[in-house]
Amino acid sequence: MLPDLRRTWWPVVALLVTTLGWFELTDWDLWIQDWFYDATNQSWFFPRRGGWARALFYTGPKVMIILGGVTLLTFLLGPHRWRTRWKVTRRQLGIVLLTLAIVPTVIGQLKQYTGVYCPWDIRRYGGPAPYVRVFEKHPDNDRPDYVGRGFPAGHASGGFALFALMTLARTRRQQCAALGVALLMGWMMGLYQMAKGAHYLSNTLVTMELAWLIYVRIAHWLDSPRTRPIRRPATTFHPE
């Protein structure tokens, strides 16, 4: 029997609060970000635009996720025999597609309001902005004329939205494989953004945790058989 993923809701909420608190009280973001920055040449590990890394870690994953979404949408709207052959239901496909759409949308909206500057924006790495954490107030007389949009991590949200592939799993092994794919894609995309100065580690961690919470909420909302406990049917007594 597959585990009830709804039981992870409160532990992940606690993890999210812990992540926000830890990075708010420490300089870990800067310490880790320094690894990717060459102060002598004032350059990041990967260039900000262009190059083979962008094609491999930015454009490539986006195209793969979009093509995957289109494929799943085709199965959702196609003949019933397609879903029967692959042993999936419209409800399961709906959970995956909604998660793929909603996770990047929510993360993108949060970026508009948090006002956190990217690493490449702050003075420590040659930018015009002071370093200000998520819950700190920006100095009124010391900020660029544009709003920061570095928190949470938008690009990695597409990879972490693949958590929803767990809904299609029929065995624990398949579920673990789907989880591994989501973590691999999300962190590959997230680490690339860190290595080019677009995000801090905390940005990517928070995106991962929010993506999981959104997925679990969508799955619960649609009452997926893969996320609710299996109930044994009641025994009916038949008199002889």
Side-chain angles (χ1 to χ4, degrees):
M1 182 176 70
L2 295 177
D4 182 2
L5 299 181
R6 290 174 297 180
R7 295 177 181 175
T8 65
W9 173 266
W10 288 113
V12 176
V13 168
L15 183 61
L16 175 61
V17 173
T18 301
T19 300
L20 291 170
W22 178 261
F23 285 94
E24 197 71 15
L25 299 174
T26 69
D27 289 327
W28 273 43
D29 268 338
L30 295 176
W31 176 58
I32 293 172
Q33 206 62 38
D34 285 346
W35 296 355
F36 299 109
Y37 186 70
D38 184 348
T40 302
N41 297 317
Q42 295 186 333
S43 62
W44 293 96
F45 188 83
F46 288 131
R48 184 168 177 175
R49 295 183 178 87
W52 63 268
R54 181 177 177 86
L56 183 61
F57 299 118
Y58 191 90
T59 307
K62 273 192 172 183
V63 171
M64 290 175 60
I65 292 170
I66 292 172
L67 290 177
V70 171
T71 301
L72 293 176
L73 182 61
T74 302
F75 273 92
L76 178 70
L77 301 177
H80 176 70
R81 66 178 182 275
W82 291 1
R83 295 183 293 278
T84 301
R85 180 178 179 181
W86 291 96
K87 298 180 181 179
V88 296
T89 66
R90 277 184 168 166
R91 182 187 300 165
Q92 292 172 306
L93 294 170
I95 290 171
V96 179
L97 289 168
L98 277 177
T99 303
L100 289 175
I102 291 177
V103 167
T105 301
V106 170
I107 298 300
Q109 288 300 308
L110 287 175
K111 287 165 62 72
Q112 306 297 319
Y113 296 102
T114 53
V116 176
Y117 289 97
C118 300
W120 61 40
D121 289 317
I122 70 171
R123 295 191 185 113
R124 185 184 185 98
Y125 305 117
Y131 174 62
V132 180
R133 296 176 175 84
V134 178
F135 296 107
E136 291 179 340
K137 183 179 179 180
H138 290 278
D140 294 332
N141 59 347
D142 186 15
R143 60 187 304 168
D145 57 359
Y146 61 93
V147 178
R149 296 181 179 178
F151 178 86
H155 180 52
S157 65
F160 290 126
L162 295 175
F163 283 140
L165 293 177
M166 297 174 69
T167 302
L168 305 179
R170 295 189 294 274
T171 65
R172 285 180 181 268
R173 179 172 295 183
Q174 291 177 358
Q175 199 173 54
C176 289
L179 176 63
V181 168
L183 290 173
L184 177 63
M185 289 289 288
W187 279 107
M188 181 181 70
M189 298 163 78
L191 287 171
Y192 166 70
Q193 292 292 83
M194 290 172 60
K196 61 183 271 190
H199 290 296
Y200 299 105
L201 174 63
S202 63
N203 304 166
T204 307
L205 283 170
V206 168
T207 294
M208 177 183 69
E209 292 153 4
L210 287 175
W212 181 267
L213 293 175
I214 293 169
Y215 158 54
V216 171
R217 183 56 61 192
I218 291 172
H220 182 213
W221 176 48
L222 292 182
D223 196 24
S224 168
R226 300 304 179 193
T227 58
R228 68 179 181 226
I230 295 178
R231 297 184 177 89
R232 294 183 178 181
T235 301
T236 303
F237 175 70
H238 297 283
E240 295 181 357

